[in-house]
């Protein structure tokens, strides 16, 4: 049987023993979570009799304890991770093809909340987050009526500009809104009309907020 070394050390100092706990070593399915080499370094092998004794001292049923018997990755978690990698690669690739630092004739900038965009970058580009950003939320840039921008917001810090193609891709994947269109990357510039083919916001956002 395999037990986390950290749990064994902590167990030795507890007045009230607790049932074996694998913390971040195993996934919700009982297999190794993450790198096998890291799991091997974090665990120690003990006889079945010793494991049973630890469970008994903690007042836990051996059959009811979650035991790690061997270092194997979880097929379900691996499949989920594979789908996540594919999703990230797909989104990164499409945005890289669509993104531009200059606009074509008669195009406008679609402004996006920088906080939301940072979350997307950490999720899809940097892979430092496993949680997707959720619906694109530009409400942080606007007053409650959605008719005017909040004061004192800063370019690049509070909002950024993307072209219509990138905006449409983000809304297709995540939904959200509302659209904020400008001729320049300036939230306080004159409002520009929504370009033909651009999404203002998703139906779900309109239903929830009553605005778009």
């Amino acid at each position: 049987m395999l037990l986390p070394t950290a749990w064994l050390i902590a167990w030795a100092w507890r007045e009230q023993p607790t049932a074996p706990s694998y913390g971040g070593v195993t996934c919700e399915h009982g297999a190794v979570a993450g790198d096998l080499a890291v799991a091997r370094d974090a665990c120690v092998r003990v006889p079945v009799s010793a494991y049973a004794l630890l469970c008994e001292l903690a007042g836990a049923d051996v059959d009811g304890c979650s035991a790690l018997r061997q270092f194997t990755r979880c097929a379900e978690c691996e499949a989920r991770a594979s789908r996540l990698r594919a999703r990230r690669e797909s989104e990164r690739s499409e945005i890289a093809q669509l993104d531009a630092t200059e606009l074509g004739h008669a195009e406008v900038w679609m402004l996006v909340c920088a906080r939301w965009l940072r979350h997307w970058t950490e999720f899809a580009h940097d892979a430092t987050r496993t949680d997707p950003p959720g619906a694109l939320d530009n409400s942080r840039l606007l007053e409650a009526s959605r008719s005017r921008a909040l004061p004192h917001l800063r370019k690049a810090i509070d909002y950024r500009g993307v072209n219509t193609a990138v905006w449409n891709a983000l809304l297709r994947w995540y939904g959200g809104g509302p659209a904020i269109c400008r001729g320049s990357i300036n939230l306080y510039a004159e409002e520009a009309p929504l370009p033909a083919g651009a999404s203002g916001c998703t139906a779900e956002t309109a239903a929830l907020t009553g605005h778009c």
Side-chain angles (χ1 to χ4, degrees):
M1 308 292 284
L2 299 162
L3 285 173
T5 305
W7 177 85
L8 280 171
I9 294 171
W11 181 89
W13 290 93
R14 288 192 183 104
E15 292 184 7
Q16 179 61 43
T18 61
S21 172
Y22 290 87
V25 176
T26 60
C27 67
E28 66 267 32
H29 310 112
V32 171
D35 193 287
L36 289 179
V38 173
R40 289 190 181 97
D41 289 341
C43 291
V44 61
R45 192 175 295 277
V46 300
V48 174
S49 57
Y51 180 84
L53 178 59
L54 289 170
C55 290
E56 181 181 342
L57 291 172
D61 181 13
V62 176
D63 295 331
C65 291
S66 177
L68 182 64
R69 299 177 182 274
Q70 56 185 347
F71 293 109
T72 55
R73 287 194 179 96
C74 176
E76 188 171 342
C77 287
E78 284 287 293
R80 183 169 59 194
S82 179
R83 291 192 297 270
L84 184 60
R85 286 192 296 270
R87 173 181 174 176
R88 284 170 168 155
E89 176 57 32
S90 175
E91 292 187 14
R92 284 197 306 267
S93 176
E94 184 166 346
I95 292 300
Q97 292 176 18
L98 298 175
D99 200 13
T101 56
E102 297 182 359
L103 297 179
H105 177 67
E107 287 188 323
V108 299
W109 289 106
M110 311 295 289
L111 303 189
V112 179
C113 175
R115 178 178 172 184
W116 186 92
L117 206 52
R118 280 193 298 271
H119 191 150
W120 177 83
T121 300
E122 292 165 358
F123 166 73
H125 196 276
D126 301 338
T128 55
R129 301 184 69 143
T130 58
D131 57 317
L136 192 158
D137 184 9
N138 270 345
S139 65
R140 298 187 181 96
L141 306 178
L142 304 171
E143 292 183 346
S145 64
R146 305 290 180 97
S147 60
R148 290 192 303 179
L150 289 170
H152 312 306
L153 298 180
R154 297 157 295 176
K155 173 183 173 181
I157 296 174
D158 298 303
Y159 63 89
R160 290 182 174 273
V162 300
N163 61 29
T164 303
V166 170
W167 169 264
N168 283 342
L170 294 175
L171 249 65
R172 187 174 75 249
W173 297 328
Y174 295 99
I180 302 174
C181 311
R182 300 290 188 269
S184 62
I185 307 178
N186 180 358
L187 182 60
Y188 305 103
E190 183 180 353
E191 184 176 355
L194 185 69
S199 301
C201 71
T202 58
E204 291 82 358
T205 300
L208 286 172
T209 65
H211 298 280
C212 263

